[in-house]
Amino acid sequence: MDLTQLIPIGVFLLLIVVLSPLLGTYIAWLLGGESSDEMDWKQYLGAILTFNAVGFGLLMGILMCQQFLPLHPDGARGLDISLAFNIAVSFVTNTNWQSYAGETTLSPFSQMVGLGTQNFLSAATGIAVLSAFTRGLARSTGRTLGNAWRDMSRIVLGILLPLSILFAVVFVSEGVVQTFDPEHQVTTVQGEQQAIPLGPAASQIAIKQLGTNGGGYFNANSAHPFEDPTPLTNLLSTIALVLIPGALCFTYGIMANHRKHGVALFATMTVLLTIGIGVSLWSENVSAAVLNESVVMEGKEVRIGVAESILWSSTTTAASNGSVNAMHSSLSPLAGGVAMLNMMLGEIVFGGVGSGLYGMILFVILTVFLTGLMVGRTPEYLGKRIDAVDVRWAIVAIVAPSASMLIGSTLSLYTEAGRSSMMHSGAHGVSEVLYAWASAAGNNGSAFAGLNANTTFYNIGIGIAMLIGRYAVIVPVVIIAGRMVSRIRMKESAGTFPTHSPLFILLLIGTILVVGALTFFPVLLMGPLAEQVQLMQGGF
Amino acid sequence: MAITSSVMSRALIVQALKDGIVKFHPRELRRSPVMAIVAIGAVATSIALIVDMTKGSFSGVDLQITLWLWGTVYFANIAESIAEGRGKAQADALRRSRQTTTARKMVHGVEQVVGSSDLHVGDLVVCETGDLIPLDGDVIDGIASVDESAITGESAPVIRESGGDRSAVTGGTRVLSDRIVIRITVEPGQAFLDRIIGMVEGAQRQRTPNEIALSTLLIGLTVVFVLVVITLPFFTQYLSSTGNGSADTSISVLMALLVCLIPTTIGGLLSAIGISGMDRLLRSNVVAMSGRAVEAAGDIDVLLLDKTGTITFGNRSASEFLPAPGVSVSDLARAAYTASLADETPEGRSIVHLARHTHNIRDAHEDLRDVVTHAFTAQTRMSGADFVDVSGTSHHVRKGAADAVEAAVVALGGSMPKDVRTAADKVASAGSTPLVVSDGNRVLGVVELKDIVKGGIRERFERLRLMGIRTVMITGDNPLTAAAIAAEAGVDDFIAEAKPEDKLARIRLEQSQGRLVAMIGDGTNDAPALAQADVGVAMNSGTQAAREAGNMIDLDSNPTKLIEIVETGKQLLMTRGALTTFSIANDVSKYFAILPAMFAGLYVGSDGTSPMETFNIMGLASPQSAILSAVIFNALIIVALIPLALRGVTYKPQGVTAVLRRNVLIYGLGGLVIPFVGIKLLDIVITALGLA
């Protein structure tokens, strides 16, 4: 194996470790304190859900009427209802699943005003829910979780906008396009005529990376040279994938008054991400060796290379982003499996902005529940006791997305509507549909390529999976926060198990892998694992 | 309580084997959702088996799988029956002492003989030598020695008397001597003995909060695996329909997979763990009024205990005479002796004792004339005597608290010498109690009353500290005395000059800061604090009010029993956590046993092998024996762990990290590795016997 492959990965990890605490401290400052108009959990949840519902309605309207709205230089037409539903759900839920080619289907107006707005607001929703959850754990004997409007406006104006502007400026300077010009007609070297679509991409790409959205301006996403033209933009884009989710670990530690615990969560995520990258890279190298190639470049950009492609594929699936700089269908089977597992675990390894961390905390609750019992104490988390109702809601939030992945895949494989969209059959076909449903229910949005998802069956089905993946987690999380906030925060005593030790990190990783992976081991065995063995045994 | 100490006797097991069959009733199965799913799986495979047989095809492996699935349910039933059986044996022993008796009820001063079941709260009954006390009550007149062995198992009789903290008597105990009048405090059927029997039998056993939370988790895991198993055939069917071979998704294989994946180990043993936890507590002679209290005991952060009787022996005793300048020790001893003649308190008697034995003061009563004794009263806070000695001099000796004696001396024109004051302070700061002795307006010196700290108490507190529990001593002593005793006994904190309401205030304060508090008490004025505490342990020798207020009663009236209580509570939770972890960790190996077997026909290449063979890492002989081995292991592990469930996992008081590391290694890592070994061994045996 070529050890120089490890250099970009090392640089990436180093920068994340340095930048996350800085940004995290700033966010804690931004979201700290009490607002004058606090909400209890029902009001907070109501505000978030209403806000998302209104955003969904507006976006659907824009998409279905885009020919009547300004800025459609290439004459984009209004979308049919199933596609509009799918896109609207996709962007409101921070999934950014795209069953269409953005540059040809949508007008710049739809992209900027419609999708761009939701890129910010869906990201803000995730962080706001996290901050409410954090207050539920940090506060004692109160009733309120903060003010949803204050939180969201501060998140958008104080975090997402400034960072997006910063990244967009750098992207533009590196050559990412940012224009309202219609598509360019060029004559290729072979003398053919080709239409090259342009658009205001740089501003979209900044927030698509930062807000773990992932919906590219162009269909090829960041594999497109107009989205990701240079090594610098590639590095920055990769960092932007996990910057905010990573920073929020530190924010959480500060706001919950337990910094070391925040660091432990960050460490847990980093370890899991690194394991994923390592396994994927190993699989790429082994597969290349079997095929007697130095590297396997199918579906990868030559200018980006294997290591950066793997780094991106691992990171984007871990971080619920879903933007891609290589086609995941062409990854070596096990690397594709890692990408799937990252999503199947519920997008908790960094995960979506906000959503990744609150998903992780649900696993923490399960972990401290088991460890609490094992040290002979009623389980408590950050000094708050965990009761049966909390466990029930945590289970709902963990199981619901998994259930929709399994049931969705089953429907795909069992119905003609589902099967007819599949490009491959056999193990790779299984991977194709598994990936799509995992991407939807995990609110990731990346695609495996191969599956034609722009059908009524997939647009509606995937749309429902995205809704479950988002709100079947948000609702339990806010309910748990509402239950926790009024509980006395117990003093840590010598009998309390510390939630920041290496042993804790190990147990958390164990719980995540055992609980998360056991659910999907059979299907992964039939899909990517079988494929990898077939490949290595030369039966490919 | 007269109970055999063995975990499982032969008779118990035979009974459990029978009771286990009764528990196949759907009403019983419904209580454990995990085992209910196993039973449903067993029914499904049975039906499939019968359907196959009617079609003329019969599979011996399917039959074995079906039998082992039924066996899994049966083993869980047996576990519960054994746990319950131990309780039943105890309950039967207790019930024998609860036979209906007659009572001598007092009506307007006249005795009437009535049945004990006709008594009501407030009735007065008389009990004399040999009488069985009909119902729980308070002694309102008289003193008697009572045999409480029916409840405590302790054969030595105890004294019960009216007033004070030893007035409570329990129905079913027997008066050995004298006569007492009892006011009945409970209705028939709700007596202490009835409640113990109820607790022991498990009839009143409600699931505790942690048990409910854990059940919720187990149900969640079960739902996940049900979903996994239901969706699995759709995947394999797709693969076969696209020409990738076929997987064995017969009912028996799917049910085998489901039962192996859902947490049957902990699901089958959960109720046995809970029942045996209460049972262990009872063995250490503590009756918990609810399972909730036992769990709370494992969470205790702070323990409040009285100094007197708990940390120190109840009575202070005189240890030294410290004369004032110009007074001889024997003069002081003689004066203290005379002043204590009318003092019947243990302290007074200890002064007499000390004076006689160390200073050879003999009874000089005959030599004295015109003796007038003054008993100790709360107003004067002194006792003493006035007399005329042989030389005709009249004396007014007094003994009491330093400030009281000083006031009396000053009133007679005397003063407190500086040296005496210094000596008194020194005594106090050493944790003892100084009494000052005077004669008229002259101060003679100080008597040191020493608190004797019980042997071994320091080590016990050290053990509590290792468990993460802080001890707070409550005493009426002044702060100096309290500090000295606190240091000697090794408590973490103390409240000096405490009034009864201070206990309650301290408990509320600790609770408001998010700590769980345990309190041990026996007196009536402890009752509010016992009720407020998260764990209130009342001494069986205490008053009825205290016993009503606490949520546990220590039949041995041994205050350091709390250590056993806490250990039992922790052990209960640890056993549940450990077996849950074990159960979940087991799934990894079962996957590696069953899935490759199930998928063996998928993706079969031109060379006739499936890539799935790669995942048969245990190298199991055949798909059939792999599945059968996993099912058998899953069933037998329940049987193997019954003793552990009944006994509880070992608990050593050490830091939480050490405890966790140990349990994770044994039950987490062990849970991963052991089934790999077990399943492989079973596979070898099954293949050798030709069962599959």
Side-chain angles (χ1 to χ4, degrees):
Chain A
M1 189 177 126
D2 182 6
L3 286 178
T4 54
Q5 288 177 337
L6 299 178
I7 294 171
I9 295 166
V11 171
F12 161 78
L13 287 174
L14 188 69
L15 284 170
I16 287 301
V17 170
V18 171
L19 293 175
S20 295
L22 297 176
L23 181 61
T25 311
Y26 163 71
I27 300 175
W29 171 79
L30 193 71
L31 296 176
E34 288 199 17
S35 103
S36 55
D37 188 15
E38 290 261 328
M39 297 174 169
D40 65 22
W41 74 264
K42 284 181 186 153
Q43 293 165 325
Y44 203 102
L45 186 61
I48 293 280
L49 294 181
T50 311
F51 186 68
N52 280 192
V54 170
F56 168 79
L58 279 177
L59 182 53
M60 252 191 106
I62 290 174
L63 294 172
M64 291 174 74
C65 313
Q66 55 177 346
Q67 73 268 40
F68 308 117
L69 297 165
L71 276 179
H72 50 101
D74 300 321
R77 289 180 296 124
L79 306 180
D80 81 79
I81 190 157
S82 73
L83 181 58
F85 165 78
N86 184 280
I87 299 176
V89 169
S90 173
F91 280 78
V92 170
T93 58
N94 195 249
T95 312
N96 297 25
W97 167 264
Q98 292 169 299
S99 62
Y100 57 92
E103 63 270 45
T104 52
T105 315
L106 300 179
S107 70
F109 182 86
S110 297
Q111 293 243 27
M112 289 181 78
V113 179
L115 307 187
T117 308
Q118 283 306 325
N119 274 349
F120 282 95
L121 298 184
S122 65
T125 299
I127 302 177
V129 169
L130 174 70
S131 67
F133 191 38
T134 308
R135 293 188 192 106
L137 289 165
R139 292 178 178 176
S140 194
T141 65
R143 281 176 43 78
T144 59
L145 302 173
N147 182 300
W149 310 123
R150 172 186 186 259
D151 287 341
M152 276 192 283
S153 50
R154 288 194 171 202
I155 291 159
V156 171
L157 298 174
I159 308 166
L160 299 174
L161 262 181
L163 277 176
S164 298
I165 292 171
L166 188 69
F167 274 81
V169 168
V170 179
F171 285 151
V172 170
S173 76
E174 288 290 305
V176 179
V177 296
Q178 177 79 6
T179 171
F180 289 126
D181 290 348
E183 54 194 24
H184 262 283
Q185 296 294 332
V186 295
T187 309
T188 63
V189 278
Q190 284 103 339
E192 313 251 348
Q193 286 294 310
Q194 190 183 354
I196 299 194
L198 301 171
S203 56
Q204 284 277 80
I205 291 157
I207 186 65
K208 106 174 174 194
Q209 298 298 91
L210 285 164
T212 57
N213 293 292
Y217 194 91
F218 302 103
N219 190 28
N221 211 306
S222 288
H224 196 296
F226 286 174
E227 287 207 9
D228 184 15
T230 67
L232 180 63
T233 58
N234 196 64
L235 178 66
L236 283 179
S237 296
T238 321
I239 287 171
L241 285 171
V242 292
L243 181 59
I244 294 179
L248 286 173
C249 294
F250 295 92
T251 307
Y252 179 67
I254 295 168
M255 285 176 74
N257 219 345
H258 201 321
R259 282 167 193 260
K260 285 182 183 170
H261 178 55
V263 176
L265 293 181
F266 180 81
T268 306
M269 292 179 177
T270 311
V271 168
L272 282 170
L273 177 67
T274 312
I275 293 174
I277 295 173
V279 171
S280 304
L281 211 53
W282 172 82
S283 153
E284 283 292 327
N285 285 298
V286 166
S287 306
V290 170
L291 299 174
N292 277 324
E293 309 264 353
S294 61
V295 285
V296 182
M297 287 309 293
E298 182 201 296
K300 299 186 184 80
E301 265 283 87
V302 177
R303 63 197 171 81
I304 292 171
V306 173
E308 278 93 336
S309 296
I310 287 297
L311 176 60
W312 189 301
S313 74
S314 300
T315 315
T316 193
T317 48
S320 174
N321 186 293
S323 67
V324 291
N325 71 352
M327 294 304 115
H328 290 183
S329 174
S330 305
L331 295 176
S332 66
L334 204 54
V338 167
M340 265 185 249
L341 188 61
N342 276 335
M343 298 188 290
M344 288 166 170
L345 294 178
E347 287 299 355
I348 52 162
V349 181
F350 291 98
V353 285
S355 62
L357 188 53
Y358 60 64
M360 174 60 92
I361 295 169
L362 295 174
F363 272 99
V364 173
I365 289 179
L366 286 194
T367 308
V368 296
F369 184 81
L370 283 179
T371 53
L373 289 181
M374 275 202 286
V375 298
R377 244 179 112 82
T378 294
E380 58 192 49
Y381 178 49
L382 295 180
K384 302 246 178 174
R385 309 193 122 216
I386 301 168
D387 67 16
V389 181
D390 304 325
V391 172
R392 188 170 73 211
W393 285 116
I395 295 266
V396 166
I398 290 173
V399 170
S402 308
S404 37
M405 288 176 206
L406 283 177
I407 293 172
S409 304
T410 302
L411 287 176
S412 280
L413 295 175
Y414 192 64
T415 62
E416 190 47 42
R419 289 186 186 201
S420 60
S421 291
M422 291 166 62
M423 189 196 243
H424 299 89
S425 70
H428 202 71
V430 169
S431 297
E432 235 170 67
V433 291
L434 259 184
Y435 194 102
W437 291 97
S439 175
N443 288 154
N444 182 285
S446 67
F448 205 48
L451 187 76
N452 168 29
N454 190 5
T455 65
T456 310
F457 172 83
Y458 281 104
N459 277 335
I460 303 290
I462 294 270
I464 292 169
M466 289 189 284
L467 286 174
I468 293 173
R470 183 71 163 179
Y471 297 104
V473 182
I474 284 186
V475 173
V477 158
V478 179
I479 290 176
I480 293 174
R483 293 173 49 78
M484 291 273 190
V485 71
S486 55
R487 257 174 239 169
I488 291 181
R489 194 166 170 173
M490 317 286 280
K491 279 269 164 62
E492 261 188 47
S493 76
T496 324
F497 175 65
T499 50
H500 52 76
S501 61
L503 183 58
F504 168 77
I505 296 174
L506 204 68
L507 288 170
L508 179 57
I509 292 175
T511 308
I512 291 168
L513 289 182
V514 169
V515 174
L518 281 182
T519 314
F520 295 102
F521 186 65
V523 287
L524 288 175
L525 194 59
M526 276 183 268
L529 286 171
E531 231 187 306
Q532 181 78 36
V533 175
Q534 280 176 327
L535 174 69
M536 289 168 69
Q537 289 175 346
F540 194 55
Chain B
M1 223 156 284
I3 311 155
T4 54
S5 60
S6 75
V7 175
M8 287 183 272
S9 70
R10 181 181 292 271
L12 201 61
I13 292 174
V14 171
Q15 186 60 40
L17 292 175
K18 288 181 199 156
D19 291 348
I21 295 170
V22 180
K23 284 177 184 289
F24 274 109
H25 194 288
R27 188 185 58 236
E28 296 277 336
L29 286 175
R30 217 179 55 197
R31 291 190 308 172
S32 166
V34 177
M35 294 322 291
I37 296 278
V38 180
I40 291 170
V43 169
T45 52
S46 303
I47 293 173
L49 197 68
I50 293 167
V51 170
D52 281 353
M53 276 159 71
T54 57
K55 285 182 192 161
S57 65
F58 170 77
S59 154
V61 174
D62 284 359
L63 175 67
Q64 292 183 63
I65 290 177
T66 308
L67 290 176
W68 282 106
L69 293 190
W70 284 115
T72 310
V73 183
Y74 185 48
F75 295 149
N77 289 348
I78 291 174
E80 194 180 74
S81 299
I82 291 177
E84 284 174 351
R86 296 206 296 171
K88 282 210 185 86
Q90 293 169 340
D92 290 343
L94 287 169
R95 201 175 276 115
R96 278 196 286 280
S97 60
R98 201 191 51 168
Q99 68 266 48
T100 307
T101 53
T102 53
R104 293 155 63 189
K105 182 175 162 188
M106 296 277 281
V107 183
H108 307 299
V110 184
E111 279 184 26
Q112 284 179 1
V113 175
V114 298
S116 62
S117 55
D118 296 328
L119 291 171
H120 295 288
V121 172
D123 286 349
L124 301 183
V125 296
V126 177
C127 287
E128 279 183 309
T129 309
D131 287 348
L132 210 55
I133 293 173
L135 265 180
D136 299 1
D138 275 325
V139 179
I140 57 165
D141 189 32
I143 176 166
S145 64
V146 178
D147 171 15
E148 294 194 338
S149 59
I151 293 184
T152 61
E154 174 60 55
S155 55
V158 293
I159 300 297
R160 291 286 176 251
E161 59 185 331
S162 63
D165 289 346
R166 293 188 297 176
S167 63
V169 288
T170 310
T173 57
R174 192 175 293 277
V175 175
L176 292 181
S177 70
D178 303 288
R179 174 184 188 274
I180 44 174
V181 179
I182 301 161
R183 183 191 288 122
I184 300 299
T185 51
V186 297
E187 292 292 327
Q190 293 165 16
F192 184 56
L193 204 55
D194 297 306
R195 284 194 285 166
I196 299 185
I197 293 171
M199 289 308 300
V200 172
E201 278 192 320
Q204 295 174 7
R205 206 180 84 84
Q206 290 170 323
R207 294 197 305 161
T208 57
N210 279 319
E211 200 176 345
I212 295 171
L214 181 56
S215 301
T216 311
L217 178 72
L218 298 182
I219 292 171
L221 288 171
T222 307
V223 169
V224 169
F225 290 123
V226 167
L227 206 69
V228 168
V229 171
I230 287 179
T231 53
L232 203 52
F234 293 95
F235 285 86
T236 55
Q237 197 208 352
Y238 163 78
L239 288 174
S240 5
S241 74
T242 51
N244 288 288
S246 66
D248 183 359
T249 51
S250 62
I251 293 284
S252 62
V253 172
L254 285 179
M255 288 305 137
L257 178 64
L258 176 64
V259 169
C260 285
L261 291 181
I262 61 176
T264 47
T265 313
I266 179 67
L269 296 172
L270 191 58
S271 84
I273 295 170
I275 297 169
S276 61
M278 301 284 286
D279 197 58
R280 280 200 301 280
L281 203 56
L282 205 58
R283 271 159 209 273
S284 55
N285 263 356
V286 176
V287 179
M289 291 302 153
S290 69
R292 188 184 284 257
V294 184
E295 271 187 4
D299 298 338
I300 290 306
D301 301 301
V302 181
L303 168 62
L304 256 59
L305 22 69
D306 280 328
K307 181 199 76 175
T308 311
T310 307
I311 296 172
T312 62
F313 289 105
N315 311 319
R316 291 171 292 194
S317 54
S319 61
E320 206 175 350
F321 295 110
L322 305 165
V327 180
S328 74
V329 174
S330 63
D331 282 353
L332 172 62
R334 182 171 292 110
Y337 171 86
T338 323
S340 303
L341 283 175
D343 186 353
E344 278 303 307
T345 63
E347 285 88 352
R349 279 188 297 233
S350 79
I351 293 175
V352 171
H353 182 85
L354 181 73
R356 271 190 192 153
H357 285 85
T358 60
H359 297 283
N360 216 18
I361 309 293
R362 285 288 146 221
D363 233 335
H365 240 110
E366 297 77 32
D367 305 335
L368 310 177
R369 288 179 292 122
D370 305 336
V371 178
V372 182
T373 56
H374 299 275
F376 177 87
T377 68
Q379 282 75 37
T380 60
R381 294 192 290 140
M382 292 188 294
S383 66
D386 301 335
F387 59 89
V388 179
D389 69 12
V390 279
S391 63
T393 324
S394 70
H395 293 271
H396 304 273
V397 291
R398 293 289 183 276
K399 168 206 84 188
D403 53 340
V405 173
E406 183 177 0
V409 169
V410 170
L412 295 171
S415 70
M416 177 80 108
K418 201 164 151 258
D419 290 0
V420 173
R421 197 189 303 274
T422 315
D425 286 348
K426 210 171 142 190
V427 167
S429 65
S432 302
T433 309
L435 290 182
V436 176
V437 181
S438 68
D439 183 359
N441 65 3
R442 199 159 74 96
V443 174
L444 299 177
V446 174
V447 183
E448 179 178 4
L449 292 180
K450 203 164 184 162
D451 247 335
I452 311 294
V453 172
K454 287 182 176 174
I457 197 95
R458 211 188 159 82
E459 289 69 33
R460 294 226 133 199
F461 289 146
E462 186 54 41
R463 212 172 142 112
L464 283 170
R465 200 168 297 115
L466 279 172
M467 292 178 184
I469 298 171
R470 280 175 42 246
T471 42
V472 179
M473 178 183 85
I474 300 164
T475 170
D477 293 340
N478 65 56
L480 278 177
T481 311
I485 294 181
E488 190 178 345
V491 294
D492 298 296
D493 196 4
F494 62 87
I495 311 174
E497 292 171 349
K499 297 179 285 298
E501 58 268 28
D502 290 345
K503 294 182 189 173
L504 190 60
R506 176 64 179 245
I507 292 175
R508 291 212 169 115
L509 176 74
E510 297 280 0
Q511 285 173 335
S512 73
Q513 291 172 347
R515 296 193 184 94
L516 265 79
V517 186
M519 151 96 195
I520 291 176
D522 54 2
T524 299
N525 61 23
D526 287 334
L530 282 172
Q532 176 72 35
D534 300 283
V535 174
V537 184
M539 301 290 105
N540 191 43
S541 62
T543 61
Q544 191 66 27
R547 300 202 317 191
E548 289 284 330
N551 48 17
M552 284 192 200
I553 296 175
D554 178 16
L555 300 174
D556 296 340
S557 306
N558 170 11
T560 56
K561 191 64 79 58
L562 196 90
I563 290 176
E564 273 92 3
I565 298 175
V566 169
E567 284 184 353
T568 308
K570 285 194 180 293
Q571 223 184 10
L572 184 64
L573 294 187
M574 279 166 51
T575 308
R576 286 195 196 124
L579 290 186
T580 306
T581 308
F582 186 83
S583 203
I584 297 173
N586 271 206
D587 281 0
V588 175
S589 59
K590 291 173 192 162
Y591 260 144
F592 276 103
I594 297 181
L595 289 181
M598 216 176 150
F599 296 159
L602 283 179
Y603 308 122
V604 179
S606 48
D607 57 350
T609 62
S610 162
M612 292 302 166
E613 187 53 35
T614 312
F615 297 100
N616 179 12
I617 53 175
M618 284 176 267
L620 302 177
S622 72
Q624 289 75 22
S625 81
I627 293 169
L628 198 54
S629 306
V631 173
I632 295 176
F633 178 84
N634 191 56
L636 291 184
I637 196 74
I638 296 181
V639 181
L641 290 174
I642 290 176
L644 181 72
L646 297 183
R647 203 179 57 229
V649 303
T650 320
Y651 175 68
K652 287 191 196 117
Q654 47 191 173
V656 272
T657 308
V659 169
L660 187 66
R661 194 180 299 128
R662 181 174 180 277
N663 285 337
V664 167
L665 272 179
I666 297 177
Y667 300 99
L669 204 62
L672 275 177
V673 176
I674 290 169
F676 276 105
V677 179
I679 291 174
K680 177 69 187 173
L681 288 177
L682 283 168
D683 178 69
I684 293 171
V685 172
I686 287 171
T687 313
L689 295 178
L691 292 173

